[in-house]
């Protein structure tokens, strides 16, 4: 009899366990169904909002819910976009600084939200984009919509109302410069869905992120764009500088050391075989890009053997020859200390992609050293900070590259051959046998050092949406 009682008790306990397990599984399934429904509803809301604010048509009916487990809330001050313009002289101007507003469905740790034109999802440990906010960058043209959503009466387990255009869309003027200036635009987005915003910005504007979500202020990502002038992007001369002169040499030598065009504020024109242009010297500093590159280096190692791996290589020095094969992608080398080549040292480049060397210190080249690919000088870019002195010291070195040192002294000593473009604040040629020969491959090169892509054409439009429940 006791055995029978125990058996009945065991069956009863097992039955309760099965019922509880089944109930838990059913509850999880129902929660997942509601979350999927909330996501689809938020996507429909995003589509209706985009159509309404961009076309100016009458209010659109919108509906979310009703929900049994989660709830909907309107967070008017959640999310923020700040845009700041920085000119070449360092002056700043805030162009836009407004909250985005967020409509969110929440169920425990799960949130699905409309913010800034996109739909985002988080499960408490990270965030993901469900639908993009409409940022597009194509062929040098950027379209960046900002959607601010207001609606303080929305909330509860459902939304059943309309969304309308609350104000005429306005253009955010990013330019506002003189013709001689390039402009840097910094955009900061603060959001609970920061990591998803960061991935979207990096995908849409590769290389634009200058401060990720886990740096600086919490839940903030920052990007930077550069809007160049025509002058600042042109590399159509053999020599470009504020001052270009011949030290101790005169026209009586009968030798023109600059084979090609030259652009300079002050120049000994007799040195130039091509056209001389006395335009304003306006070539952006490389300091910020070099500083950012140095800070991004986790460790500095020696270059070893042929370098074939694309990406960034951080080194203390370049003091001997190396071969760079760019077949697999662009290669960048960040040099923290010395850049010194002599004897028969060679920095050779093959492959179809580019080599860029960023150096915060001096460049000394002497002997018979060779840098770059003679058949394509535009493939190699040597970029120097304002604290660098760039010089060929002696011998007959050969440089096939863009030599970009816009705030530095460039001393051409010995009898070097430089094929490409030399950009320097003060360029001095010391020997009549030196030769700087321009190369047409650099004339169309769109290269200006600086954090962020170069965006000649940008349209930022601010939209206002009102949610009436």
């Amino acid at each position: 009899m006791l055995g029978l009682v125990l058996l009945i008790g065991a069956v009863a306990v097992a039955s309760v366990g099965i019922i509880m397990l089944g109930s838990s599984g059913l509850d999880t399934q129902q929660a997942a169904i509601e979350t999927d429904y909330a996501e689809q509803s938020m996507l429909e809301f995003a589509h209706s909002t985009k159509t309404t604010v961009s076309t100016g048509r009458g209010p659109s009916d919108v509906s979310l819910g009703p929900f049994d487990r989660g709830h909907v809330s309107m967070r008017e001050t959640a999310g923020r976009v700040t845009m700041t313009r920085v000119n070449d002289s360092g002056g700043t101007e805030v162009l836009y600084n407004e909250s985005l507003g967020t409509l969110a469905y929440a169920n425990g740790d799960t949130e699905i939200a409309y913010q800034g034109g996109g739909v985002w999802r988080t499960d408490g440990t990270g965030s993901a984009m469900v639908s993009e906010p409409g940022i597009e960058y194509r062929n040098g043209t950027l379209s960046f919509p900002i959607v601010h959503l207001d609606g303080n009466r929305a909330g509860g387990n459902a939304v059943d109302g309309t969304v309308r255009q609350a104000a005429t869309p306005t253009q955010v003027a990013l330019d506002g410069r003189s013709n001689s200036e390039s402009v840097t635009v910094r955009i900061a987005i603060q959001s609970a869905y920061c990591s998803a915003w960061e991935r979207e910005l990096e995908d849409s504007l590769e290389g634009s992120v200058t401060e990720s979500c886990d740096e600086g202020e919490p839940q903030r990502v920052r990007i930077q764009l550069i809007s160049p002038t025509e002058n600042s992007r042109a590399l159509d001369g053999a020599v470009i500088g504020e001052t270009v002169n011949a030290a101790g040499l005169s026209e009586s030598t009968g030798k023109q050391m600059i084979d090609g065009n030259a652009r300079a504020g002050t120049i000994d024109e007799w040195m130039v075989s091509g056209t001389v242009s006395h335009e304003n010297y306006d070539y952006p500093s490389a300091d910020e890009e070099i500083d950012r590159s140095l800070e991004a280096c986790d460790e500095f190692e020696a270059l070893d053997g042929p370098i074939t791996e694309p990406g960034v290589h951080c080194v203390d020095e370049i003091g001997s020859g190396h071969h760079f094969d760019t077949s697999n992608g662009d290669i960048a080398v960040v040099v923290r200390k010395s850049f010194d080549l002599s004897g028969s040292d060679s920095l050779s480049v093959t492959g179809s992609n580019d080599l860029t060397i960023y150096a915060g210190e001096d460049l000394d080249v002497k002997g018979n050293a060779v840098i770059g690919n003679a058949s394509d000088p535009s493939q190699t870019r040597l970029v120097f900070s304002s604290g660098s002195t760039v010089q060929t010291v002696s011998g007959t070195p050969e440089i096939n590259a863009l030599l970009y040192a816009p705030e530095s002294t460039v001393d051409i000593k010995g009898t070097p051959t430089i094929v490409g473009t030399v950009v320097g604040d003060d360029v001095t040629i010391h020997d009549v046998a030196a030769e700087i020969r321009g190369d047409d491959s650099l004339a169309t090169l769109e290269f200006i050092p600086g954090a962020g892509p170069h965006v000649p054409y940008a349209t930022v439009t601010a939209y206002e949406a009102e949610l009436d429940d």
Side-chain angles (χ1 to χ4, degrees), residues 47-96:
H47 176 73
S48 296
T49 302
K50 178 181 178 180
T51 301
T52 300
V53 298
S54 61
T55 64
R57 293 205 297 255
S60 296
D61 293 334
V62 293
S63 177
L64 288 87
F67 301 110
D68 295 328
R69 289 167 169 75
H71 66 279
V72 182
S73 62
M74 180 65 212
R75 305 164 187 170
E76 293 181 274
T77 60
R80 177 168 292 273
V81 174
T82 305
M83 294 190 174
T84 306
R85 179 170 59 217
V86 185
N87 61 29
D88 281 349
S89 59
T92 62
E93 178 185 358
V94 176
L95 305 175
Y96 186 90

Side-chain angles (χ1 to χ4, degrees), residues 26 35-36 75 95 205 250 278 394 425:
L26 180 61
T35 300
D36 290 343
R75 305 164 187 170
L95 305 175
L205 290 159
S250 67
H278 294 281
S394 60
D425 182 55

Side-chain angles (χ1 to χ4, degrees), residues 2 11 30 38 40 90 197 216-217 274 287 439:
L2 178 61
V11 170
Q30 289 176 340
Q40 185 58 42
W197 270 106
E217 292 186 15
D287 285 2
D439 189 276

Side-chain angles (χ1 to χ4, degrees), residues 124-141:
T125 57
S127 57
M129 183 183 69
V130 179
S131 73
E132 58 190 26
I135 301 169
E136 293 184 1
Y137 179 61
R138 188 176 303 166
N139 298 326
T141 299

Side-chain angles (χ1 to χ4, degrees), residues 307-313 324-333 348-358 373 376-382 441 445-447:
I307 294 85
T308 60
E309 183 179 351
V312 179
H313 300 259
F324 299 88
D325 183 352
T326 67
S327 298
N328 296 322
D330 293 339
I331 295 174
V333 180
S348 57
V349 185
T350 58
S352 58
N353 296 291
D354 301 323
L355 167 67
T356 304
I357 298 176
Y358 297 99
N373 178 358
D376 186 7
S378 68
Q379 186 178 28
T380 305
R381 300 92 184 265
L382 311 177
S441 65
L445 181 66
E446 296 186 3
F447 178 82

Side-chain angles (χ1 to χ4, degrees), residues 268-305:
D268 292 331
E269 296 189 23
W270 61 266
M271 296 188 296
V272 184
S273 68
T275 302
V276 175
S277 174
H278 294 281
E279 296 181 9
N280 289 334
Y281 178 73
D282 179 43
Y283 286 74
S285 170
D287 285 2
E288 186 172 350
E289 174 70 359
I290 291 172
D291 290 344
R292 187 184 70 86
S293 298
L294 286 168
E295 289 172 2
C297 291
D298 293 327
E299 57 182 343
F300 293 83
E301 301 178 344
L303 291 174
D304 185 22

Side-chain angles (χ1 to χ4, degrees), residues 163-185:
V163 63
R164 61 183 175 85
Q165 186 187 81
T168 302
T170 57
Q171 300 291 319
V172 180
L174 301 184
D175 208 335
R177 64 184 175 198
S178 68
N179 290 332
S180 64
E181 289 183 320
S182 59
V183 169
T184 297
V185 177

Side-chain angles (χ1 to χ4, degrees), residues 45 67 82 139 152 167 218 311 313 317 320 330-331 341 402 431:
F45 175 84
F67 301 110
T82 305
N139 298 326
N152 54 12
H313 300 259
E317 63 181 12
S320 61
D330 293 339
I331 295 174
L341 298 178
L402 165 64
D431 195 306

